[in-house]
Amino acid sequence: MLDIIKVIILGIVEGITEWLPVSSTGHLILVGDILQPNLSDAFMEMFNVVIQLGAIMAVVVLYFNKLNPFSPKKTQKQKLLTWQMWIKVLIASVPAAVVGLLFNDYLDAIFYKPLPVAVMLIVYGVLFIVVENRNKHVRPKVTKISELSVQMLVWIGVFQMLALIPGTSRSGATIVGALMIGISRGVAAEFTFFLAIPVMFGASFLKLIGFGLSFTAKEAGLLLLGCVVSFGVSVLAIKFLMGYIKNHDFKVFGYYRIILGAIIIVAAVVQMIIA
């Protein structure tokens, strides 16, 4: 029963932090260290990635019509634009896909720890504040996904690639990258949601294969529970974020990241002194 409660908490954390630019993996690592579920390290490493499937299904459900190129409600032009959007998503996914396939295990071994998470939280927190201050009186160049150029897609893809380091935040990195090149907040957030679909499915598939699909009944049940909880919470988080950025910028998330990162570093130093 205790592990069920802990998995529900982790599902809530994933659902909130996957879409807010504060690093879901970073929060899952930190909260997991506090909760310490009675599960193997190998399972928890896989769980922290595969639980994202629940979150990504929230995007599929909320934006199903916009994502569906076969919708009978769309005109031929709208269907063509939907196909073009998917091509843009695939182009922007290439950098992270290549680097993830080649170096994912290496990056996890080095950075899958609280201190690197704290550093990346602070670095991107500062970036959010700097970029938003710079853009304060600048009109965005791009206000529709259809206006994204190949050069912009590559830039966004490179920033998503950098998010392979835990604590960076995939949504945070791609949104920062998009804002830096003049893309509006709404388009930056929405395209980030869509960009997550192939990336998360791919990452989850690799983790499941790496784990070996050899679940116990308990592990399978807890994984499914985590996905269901993250789905429900993600629906609320996505709706909140899209409503929030209509009248606010992303600086509050930058301040949050800096404060959280500083707390983690102080806690780590105190722990070292005590030890």
Side-chain angles (χ1 to χ4, degrees), residues 12-273:
I12 293 170
V13 171
E14 163 62 22
I16 294 172
T17 59
E18 185 60 55
W19 308 113
L20 305 186
V22 294
S23 176
S24 62
T25 303
H27 279 76
L28 287 172
I29 292 171
L30 298 172
V31 175
D33 282 350
I34 294 169
L35 296 178
Q36 295 187 338
N38 187 28
L39 298 160
S40 70
D41 290 342
F43 176 80
M44 287 309 301
E45 184 180 332
M46 178 274 299
F47 175 90
N48 286 346
V49 175
V50 177
I51 194 177
Q52 296 173 344
L53 286 176
I56 199 58
M57 286 308 299
V59 173
V60 174
V61 170
L62 288 173
Y63 290 94
F64 184 76
N65 186 61
K66 194 163 190 173
L67 294 167
N68 181 14
F70 304 105
S71 173
K73 298 177 182 178
K74 291 183 176 179
T75 64
Q76 284 301 117
K77 183 179 179 181
Q78 288 173 325
K79 290 178 181 179
L80 178 62
L81 287 173
T82 305
W83 281 116
Q84 288 176 347
M85 182 196 72
W86 276 112
I87 292 171
K88 292 175 188 287
V89 166
L90 292 176
I91 291 171
S93 299
V94 170
V98 172
V99 174
L101 285 170
L102 294 175
F103 301 108
N104 188 57
D105 291 340
Y106 177 74
L107 291 170
D108 279 353
I110 295 177
F111 297 111
Y112 211 83
K113 298 166 186 141
L115 197 55
V117 167
V119 171
M120 298 314 295
L121 281 168
I122 292 171
V123 168
Y124 277 83
V126 171
L127 268 177
F128 263 117
I129 295 168
V130 170
V131 171
E132 284 288 21
N133 283 337
R134 189 201 70 175
N135 289 354
K136 194 170 184 179
H137 302 294
V138 178
R139 290 189 64 183
K141 302 173 188 174
V142 173
T143 56
K144 296 178 183 177
I145 289 177
S146 60
E147 296 172 350
L148 292 172
S149 67
V150 173
Q151 186 177 358
M152 289 176 169
L153 296 172
V154 172
W155 176 265
I156 293 170
V158 168
F159 265 80
Q160 180 172 244
M161 176 189 70
L162 296 175
L164 291 169
I165 300 173
T168 301
S169 170
R170 192 201 57 79
S171 63
T174 52
I175 288 171
V176 162
L179 292 176
M180 287 175 71
I181 56 176
I183 297 172
S184 69
R185 294 189 195 101
V187 171
E190 201 169 84
F191 190 70
T192 292
F193 297 160
F194 301 159
L195 195 55
I197 296 173
V199 171
M200 287 187 186
F201 274 116
S204 297
F205 176 75
L206 290 175
K207 284 294 183 183
L208 285 170
I209 296 300
F211 188 74
L213 298 176
S214 53
F215 301 104
T216 64
K218 175 186 175 181
E219 289 173 338
L222 291 175
L223 184 60
L224 180 60
L225 174 62
C227 287
V228 169
V229 173
S230 71
F231 168 81
V233 176
S234 288
V235 169
L236 300 176
I238 291 169
K239 288 183 176 180
F240 164 78
L241 181 62
M242 294 309 291
Y244 178 85
I245 61 176
K246 287 179 181 177
N247 301 306
H248 304 84
D249 59 28
F250 285 103
K251 283 195 288 187
V252 66
F253 300 111
Y255 292 122
Y256 170 80
R257 292 175 66 105
I258 293 169
I259 293 169
L260 179 60
I263 290 171
I264 294 166
I265 291 174
V266 170
V269 170
V270 170
Q271 191 174 26
M272 287 173 60
I273 294 172

